[in-house]
Amino acid sequence: MYNFRYQRASSLDGALKAAAAAEDPKFLAGGMTLLPTMKQRLAQPSDLIDIGGIADLAGIRRDGQVLVVGAMTRHADVASSEEVKSAIPALAALAGHIGDPQVRNRGTLGGSIANADPAADYPAAVVGLNATVKTNKREIAADDFFTGLFETVLQEYEIVTEVSFPIPEKAAYAKFPNPASRYAVVGVMVCKSKDGVRVAVTGAGPSVFRVEDMEKALSKKFAPEAVEGIKVSQEGLNADIHASAEYRAHLVTVMAKRAVAAANG
Amino acid sequence: MTDTGIGASVRRKEDYRFLTGKGRYLDDINLPGQCYAYFVRSPHAHATFTIASGKAEKEPGVIAVFTGADIVKAGLGGLICGWVITGKNGEPHKAPLHPLLAIDTVRYVGDPVAVVIAESHAQAKDAAEKVEVKYEPKPAVTSPTAALDKSAPQVHHDAPGNLCYDWEIGDRAATDAAFKKAHHVTKLKLVNNRLIPNAIEPRAALGDYNSGTDEITLYTTSQNPHVARLVISAFIQLTPEHKLRVVAPDIGGGFGSKIFIYSEETVSAWAARELKRPVKWTAERSESFMTDAHGRDHVSHAELALDKNGKFLGLKVSTVANLGAYLSTFATCVPTYLYATLMQGQYTTEAVYCEVKGVFTHTTPVDALRGAGRPEATYVVERMVEQAARDMKMDAAKLRRINFIPSDAFPYQTQVALQYDSGNYAGSMDQALELIDYKGFAKRKEQSKASGRLRGIGFSAYIEACGIAPSAVVGSLGAGVGLYESAEVRFNPTGNVTVFTGSHSHGQGHETTFAQLVSDKLGVPFDNIEVVHGDTARIPFAMGTYGSRSLAVGGSAIAKAIDKIVAKGRKIAAHTLEAAEEDIEFLDGNFTVKGTDKKMDIASVAFSAYVPHNYPSDELEPGLDESAFYDPANFTFPAGTHVCEVEVDPETGTVDVVKWAAADDFGNLVNPMIVEGQVHGGVAHGVGQALLEGCQYETDSGQLLTGSFMDYSMPRADIFPDIQVVTQVTPCPHNPLGVKGCGEAGAIAAPAALINAITDAIGTSNITMPATPEKVWRALNAGR
């Protein structure tokens, strides 16, 4: 790592003030992406402003037909929460398979979606469940939030404070993990609610995307056979030493089927 | 057998400190006034360069910056390769200079060009960015077959065509003749994928100079401190041998990667004398990925000729082996004498021929890694045999049985130099078939099919040559060293024992197993025995630990020292008990007079030797402290059969390893628990190679694509079924313990078994290692 100043904020206001006064600051949530990047000397912030001590930012509550998860809530807490397991078990299961136990004890929902890694799991949940992302400035619909490779609509000094997940009728997440990093090579979240069916895919492309053809077919019949023959195009999909674009395209259909089967129980 | 003697599954003594954080590893050692080294490394696979260190020298905390030119000025030599391979043309292999720090050309990503030494690691690392290196990148070649192409970029001017050697073994004419009468010939192209060792502890070194005595002490993560001392003093010429002490403390795994003498430890030792301060270097994991010697990386074409009954008439193999950019310490012998000499397998194949081209490329140097040549050989032989069984529509076990060397045929002279000493190959096959429940396979396959999965079964009847090695034999084959071991068994006056061993324990559990040996043979309580290793100042010259040799060679040296102890003890006891020496018997720690109840225990004998008041002083010196060196008469030949079953998910190509049976013959066992652990670890290693691991370089740039655990996939516990282990014993006839060694066997057997199971499941032989889900999926869908 290069040298940096570390500050621990006790309030959101304090964090924003400290950022404004710093030369090239970064907010630190779980640090599971930022710290390794800094250790490889690929990031060189002048200041790390730790928002982990801001009490309001963590926590899980049910608000009627919506589950609200604070941005600083750790993956391990989402995975083990009785509230989450009863309201949206697919979300608890997803969180329980992020990374490894050490990553799950530190990593956060807000950090994950703000970073928008193409292979992260949470973006599939946010888009799949049609969540609303709340920041210190506004509320953002899931379909508007992710815009590209490591890109979101978040502006400078805009911090995610909580994410509201509408509670679905049924949902499931099926993930094909990279055997080395255990990130998603392809991860598919399927969700059926009163507003229809949503199919959100992470890992396959530069950013999470929905598959309209599958959503239409599943609206008619919510069963694995409905999506069996639906292929996504490999064009624009990620390709690396772990999986080609063609293979990822194939996996989208396979994981979608498995997610539907799991959602049906 | 007592509960702490030979054959007992004693819990390991060393585990207490390892599991409670009290181990003393290299990085735990700190000396007053120490400073820190950080190496500047090439980001290019091939480039010429000029270098200026003035700016870096002025950075905060910097004490010195050294470059290749400084090393040359200091008169230090390059890193050596200690085994001369003579090619088909009768000439020795090409041995280009392997400088400690590159002088004007870099040849792999990670090749060191300078070292920055500063007051702190962070300062050294910061200053390293200010070392001005002007690179002129050149085209690079990473694949060994591409390197042989006429148009390939040249790695070394003095190795034309990138060829280090073109070598052969076996009888080419006889093999060609055998093929002429073949009923069937099985042919396969087989690639053995490159591996990165990834021991849990990265390499590290701490050089310390005593200006009062002009002595250098080098603490280093070495599997063989005496070899390091010899090479660094006599060949690199850092300092005379008696002025260099090398200490290898607790070490977190080696697997071969810590055998070799590397640039960083040598430079740290030299820099400590230059600066008159201790110099410490610890690798970062990314450095380990780039600079620890890699393993394997062969491309082979093999052909097996059979008669109409399935008897093997001939095997011919043509291999191209990647040696990397420079020759590492033992690099030349791994794809030759540790590989081709195993092409006989467990079989009576009438004619065998193997030729090997060793090739330079712009990649990390390649050298021995767990199995060192024998996994590559077993992969060739056992995939060929399995494929031949499929070609001939014969049962895979049956085809092997009709070709096994029979149990009464030993000693058996192979077609490729080695003479096998003992074995019962049919016996292990019987055990393996029963352990895996071979008869039940068809039913399990149906069950898998019912749940939409493809089940396959694969065999690997491996044999290996280890317990290396008889010095005269390896000397005649080009080795520059002997391969004996040393031991000293020293009684203390109070009756407890210190054992000094030339073997080094970096995970093997020698502190326990060697204590078991001594306890069993001398009747000294297990807890009264300490085992000392890893310090050239305390231990007679020895060759260290690798090649599954510590028990067979190191343990045998201890046995010989014990014999000398007992012989002396007899004389002392005879004197004290007033009996003739011929009437003294020794059993369970007591010297007794035949036919009487007069006895003297060994602790009393020891006390008498150190307080020689009632003692045969005119015939015998005081003390009870004996050394021995043991040079093995032959290699040892562990062998066995591994069988594994896999289930393939045809939708994704994912392979689950669902059953593993290992039936091995390691000769006599000292600690069955440790043996089982070694088999588990070896199998995990081999499954890692076959299913997950695979070092990849980008073809044109030579960039290391698998430079971290994010991309280099290591096996984890959750992918394994219960690995079932059973052993049989055919004792080694030529060492005093009757042992054969077991540390590498699993890694040798496993890859062939796994790939044979996968190819059985999916019905095509066209699978390469690692058998990733995408590869399996493509193979299943080829032609659709």
Side-chain angles (χ1 to χ4, degrees):
Chain A
M1 287 182 163
Y2 295 108
N3 257 333
F4 61 91
R5 270 187 59 196
Y6 171 81
Q7 306 176 57
R8 195 166 166 82
S10 48
S11 69
L12 205 46
D13 264 347
L16 292 163
K17 274 206 189 76
E23 189 188 318
D24 188 9
K26 273 209 98 58
F27 295 113
L28 177 68
M32 294 294 93
T33 294
L34 180 56
L35 295 178
T37 310
M38 288 172 65
K39 284 183 181 177
Q40 287 169 58
R41 296 195 156 198
L42 296 172
Q44 195 175 359
S46 63
D47 293 71
L48 275 193
I49 298 160
D50 189 340
I51 57 174
I54 303 173
D56 306 333
L57 289 183
I60 298 165
R61 71 177 191 277
R62 182 161 173 162
D63 221 340
Q65 282 306 102
V66 164
L67 189 71
V68 183
V69 181
M72 271 301 301
T73 313
R74 315 278 176 178
H75 306 324
D77 294 331
V78 172
S80 62
S81 153
E82 289 306 323
E83 201 77 89
V84 180
K85 285 196 277 192
S86 71
I88 316 178
L91 188 63
L94 178 152
H97 284 93
I98 295 173
D100 58 38
Q102 288 86 351
V103 165
R104 293 194 284 274
N105 286 335
R106 299 288 312 162
T108 67
L109 170 60
S112 170
I113 64 174
N115 184 46
D117 190 305
D121 298 300
Y122 266 133
V126 169
V127 172
L129 294 165
N130 199 13
T132 305
V133 179
K134 186 167 175 195
T135 76
N136 58 321
K137 293 198 173 146
R138 52 180 164 153
E139 290 189 6
I140 308 166
D143 287 333
D144 298 332
F145 187 80
F146 300 98
T147 55
L149 187 70
F150 294 101
E151 263 179 40
T152 67
V153 294
L154 292 174
Q155 293 155 4
E156 211 186 11
Y157 305 142
E158 182 171 13
I159 299 179
V160 177
T161 54
E162 64 188 28
V163 180
S164 301
F165 297 93
I167 294 168
E169 274 171 41
K170 42 172 114 171
Y173 179 63
K175 170 179 179 178
F176 190 87
N178 175 321
S181 69
R182 301 202 169 180
Y183 270 100
V185 171
V186 167
V188 179
M189 170 74 94
V190 159
C191 163
K192 181 169 198 271
S193 71
K194 59 175 167 41
D195 300 321
V197 175
R198 291 172 70 95
V199 175
V201 178
T202 187
S207 186
V208 55
F209 62 85
R210 289 166 59 186
V211 186
E212 263 186 54
D213 289 344
M214 289 187 182
E215 291 176 351
K216 281 202 185 89
L218 289 168
S219 301
K220 294 204 187 93
K221 180 177 182 195
F222 194 80
E225 313 82 84
V227 294
E228 176 107 51
I230 299 179
K231 296 191 200 305
V232 296
S233 162
Q234 60 172 288
E235 217 183 294
L237 292 192
N238 302 331
D240 60 21
I241 61 174
H242 300 289
S244 66
E246 184 189 353
Y247 182 59
R248 278 178 221 256
H250 167 74
L251 286 178
V252 171
T253 306
V254 177
M255 291 299 124
K257 275 185 359 187
R258 295 184 182 185
V260 174
N264 280 336
Chain B
M1 192 239 284
T2 66
D3 57 5
T4 56
I6 293 171
S9 287
V10 189
R11 296 263 179 109
R12 301 191 339 171
K13 291 188 186 207
E14 45 268 81
D15 286 347
Y16 170 72
R17 69 180 186 275
F18 293 156
L19 297 176
T20 57
K22 295 184 164 78
R24 196 162 171 260
Y25 297 92
L26 210 318
D27 196 57
D28 293 325
I29 302 173
N30 294 299
L31 296 174
Q34 80 187 8
C35 48
Y36 300 82
Y38 187 84
F39 285 81
V40 181
R41 300 183 183 282
S42 170
H44 302 287
H46 186 201
T48 51
F49 71 93
T50 56
I51 186 166
S53 56
K55 255 208 197 140
E57 282 164 5
K58 298 190 180 72
E59 289 292 298
V62 173
I63 302 160
V65 180
F66 297 119
T67 67
D70 294 313
I71 300 288
V72 171
K73 232 189 278 166
L76 298 182
L79 295 164
I80 58 145
C81 176
W83 197 306
V84 177
I85 295 299
T86 303
K88 290 174 182 170
N89 56 10
E91 291 188 16
H93 71 264
K94 295 274 186 272
L97 175 69
H98 184 177
L100 289 170
L101 294 176
I103 296 162
D104 54 27
T105 307
V106 286
R107 296 182 172 86
Y108 66 100
V109 172
D111 203 354
V113 300
V115 64
V116 177
I117 300 174
E119 297 292 346
S120 74
H121 172 80
Q123 286 171 324
K125 192 168 176 181
D126 284 344
E129 292 184 5
K130 298 287 197 277
V131 174
E132 294 165 288
V133 194
K134 280 205 184 73
Y135 292 102
E136 266 205 45
K138 304 243 179 289
V141 62
T142 58
S143 133
T145 45
L148 288 173
D149 202 78
K150 281 189 182 50
S151 61
Q154 295 299 288
V155 183
H156 295 282
H157 303 302
D158 46 352
N162 292 323
L163 191 65
C164 179
Y165 54 75
D166 183 0
W167 170 94
E168 65 184 352
I169 193 171
D171 190 334
R172 176 164 218 156
T175 309
D176 285 343
F179 272 76
K180 283 203 170 65
K181 45 185 178 107
H183 165 76
H184 175 76
V185 174
T186 290
K187 293 186 195 194
L188 282 179
K189 174 183 171 184
L190 296 162
V191 177
N192 205 291
N193 49 326
R194 177 185 278 241
L195 299 180
I196 298 178
N198 278 317
I200 196 167
E201 179 207 23
R203 290 186 297 118
L206 173 55
D208 184 30
Y209 177 66
N210 182 329
S211 52
T213 58
D214 192 30
E215 287 174 349
I216 300 175
T217 300
L218 174 61
Y219 300 88
T220 179
T221 49
S222 174
Q223 300 178 212
N224 34 256
H226 292 87
V227 178
R229 184 190 193 214
L230 178 64
V231 170
I232 292 173
S233 63
F235 294 92
I236 300 175
Q237 311 222 294
L238 175 65
T239 197
E241 196 177 359
H242 68 293
K243 291 288 189 186
L244 175 62
R245 175 183 178 193
V246 178
V247 179
D250 287 334
I251 288 180
F255 308 105
S257 67
K258 293 173 179 166
I259 294 171
F260 321 115
I261 286 73
Y262 288 92
S263 164
E264 298 86 357
E265 55 199 342
T266 311
V267 170
S268 297
W270 171 74
R273 187 178 62 196
E274 287 300 296
L275 303 176
K276 313 271 189 296
R277 290 177 62 174
V279 174
K280 186 172 184 182
W281 169 77
T282 306
E284 297 177 334
R285 181 59 64 175
S286 353
E287 270 182 296
S288 297
F289 267 89
M290 280 194 296
T291 65
D292 289 353
H294 292 175
R296 316 280 191 266
D297 205 345
H298 289 194
V299 179
S300 299
H301 288 88
E303 299 183 33
L304 179 64
L306 302 96
D307 74 10
K308 63 174 165 38
N309 297 315
K311 284 285 247 175
F312 303 155
L313 300 173
L315 174 70
K316 58 178 149 175
V317 183
S318 192
T319 295
V320 178
N322 197 339
L323 299 172
Y326 303 97
L327 294 176
S328 169
T329 318
F330 286 105
T332 51
C333 74
V334 176
T336 53
Y337 289 109
L338 300 184
Y339 163 69
T341 54
L342 276 315
M343 289 302 173
Q344 188 77 46
Q346 297 183 4
Y347 313 110
T348 53
T349 313
E350 290 169 21
V352 179
Y353 173 75
C354 182
E355 56 182 357
V356 181
K357 288 190 168 80
V359 178
F360 292 111
T361 64
H362 294 108
T363 61
T364 301
V366 177
D367 207 326
L369 171 62
R370 196 172 195 170
R374 288 98 75 213
E376 296 90 308
T378 300
Y379 189 67
V380 169
V381 175
E382 288 304 291
R383 282 218 56 201
M384 290 301 287
V385 168
E386 198 98 332
Q387 188 59 48
R390 292 171 195 173
D391 290 349
M392 304 262 301
K393 297 197 178 13
M394 288 178 74
D395 174 80
K398 183 161 180 230
L399 179 64
R400 287 178 167 87
R401 279 191 199 280
I402 67 179
N403 284 286
F404 277 161
I405 296 163
S407 304
D408 59 4
F410 296 97
Y412 181 86
Q413 179 59 54
T414 69
Q415 300 298 315
V416 277
L418 296 176
Q419 185 181 80
Y420 297 160
D421 59 10
S422 58
N424 177 8
Y425 308 143
S428 285
M429 173 62 80
D430 289 339
Q431 281 188 316
L433 293 180
E434 186 175 329
L435 197 54
I436 198 95
D437 180 23
Y438 191 49
K439 290 200 181 80
F441 175 71
K443 182 157 182 226
R444 292 192 291 277
K445 185 169 175 159
E446 281 307 305
Q447 286 168 339
S448 298
K449 189 171 175 190
S451 52
R453 295 161 84 73
L454 305 169
R455 195 175 188 104
I457 189 165
F459 287 80
S460 177
Y462 77 95
I463 183 167
E464 68 128 334
C466 63
I468 63 180
S471 299
V473 171
V474 295
S476 74
L477 300 176
V481 287
L483 278 163
Y484 51 86
E485 259 315 310
S486 72
E488 184 181 327
V489 175
R490 175 186 301 172
F491 268 88
N492 304 315
T494 49
N496 38 51
V497 178
T498 303
V499 180
F500 298 91
T501 174
S503 300
H504 188 278
S505 192
H506 38 277
Q508 290 84 348
H510 299 156
E511 288 172 36
T512 305
T513 51
F514 289 3
Q516 285 177 256
L517 264 182
V518 175
S519 178
D520 194 286
K521 288 183 174 294
L522 287 179
V524 174
F526 179 72
D527 290 332
N528 289 1
I529 301 164
E530 78 167 322
V531 176
V532 173
H533 62 93
D535 186 342
T536 60
R538 299 180 74 183
I539 293 161
F541 189 87
M543 293 302 294
T545 288
Y546 38 81
S548 303
R549 69 192 300 267
S550 297
L551 189 59
V553 191
S556 293
I558 292 173
K560 286 188 69 182
I562 286 172
D563 288 344
K564 295 181 185 179
I565 294 273
V566 172
K568 187 168 186 180
R570 269 185 217 284
K571 294 181 157 58
I572 297 170
H575 177 91
T576 310
L577 299 175
E578 294 170 338
E581 204 186 314
E582 317 76 85
D583 292 335
I584 300 291
E585 295 178 325
F586 178 67
L587 187 64
D588 292 339
N590 288 304
F591 293 91
T592 54
V593 181
K594 224 187 298 191
T596 78
D597 60 2
K598 287 164 102 185
K599 71 173 182 186
M600 187 177 186
D601 67 46
I602 195 161
S604 305
V605 167
F607 186 78
S608 177
Y610 287 101
V611 187
H613 292 168
N614 175 15
Y615 195 82
S617 298
D618 44 355
E619 297 158 20
L620 208 57
E621 296 169 6
L624 193 60
D625 181 352
E626 299 288 343
S627 296
F629 290 84
Y630 179 78
D631 198 341
N634 194 355
F635 295 81
T636 60
F637 302 96
T641 295
H642 283 217
V643 190
C644 89
E645 286 180 29
V646 300
E647 267 191 336
V648 177
D649 173 356
E651 280 195 311
T652 61
T654 306
V655 174
D656 284 329
V657 185
V658 292
K659 241 175 180 284
W660 200 286
D664 298 299
D665 184 346
F666 300 127
N668 290 329
L669 303 185
V670 171
N671 187 318
M673 177 192 78
I674 289 182
V675 169
E676 194 177 39
Q678 286 281 33
V679 176
H680 290 170
V683 169
H685 222 136
V687 170
Q689 167 165 26
L691 205 55
L692 297 160
E693 298 182 51
C695 170
Q696 288 190 48
Y697 284 94
E698 191 169 56
T699 307
D700 293 321
S701 69
Q703 289 299 313
L704 180 60
L705 296 175
T706 53
S708 80
F709 292 125
M710 292 291 281
D711 292 306
Y712 188 86
S713 186
M714 300 284 281
R716 283 132 152 149
D718 63 1
I719 67 162
F720 292 98
D722 236 0
I723 299 169
Q724 306 203 268
V725 177
V726 72
T727 54
Q728 66 164 1
V729 178
T730 62
C732 174
H734 64 73
N735 67 47
L737 301 173
V739 299
K740 299 187 179 181
C742 70
E744 295 164 286
I748 291 167
L754 188 71
I755 299 299
N756 282 339
I758 296 172
T759 51
D760 180 51
I762 67 177
T764 160
S765 66
N766 191 18
I767 282 289
T768 57
M769 302 193 285
T772 61
E774 178 166 358
K775 277 189 194 171
V776 174
W777 174 73
R778 281 186 185 280
L780 272 170
N781 290 289
R784 281 218 211 140

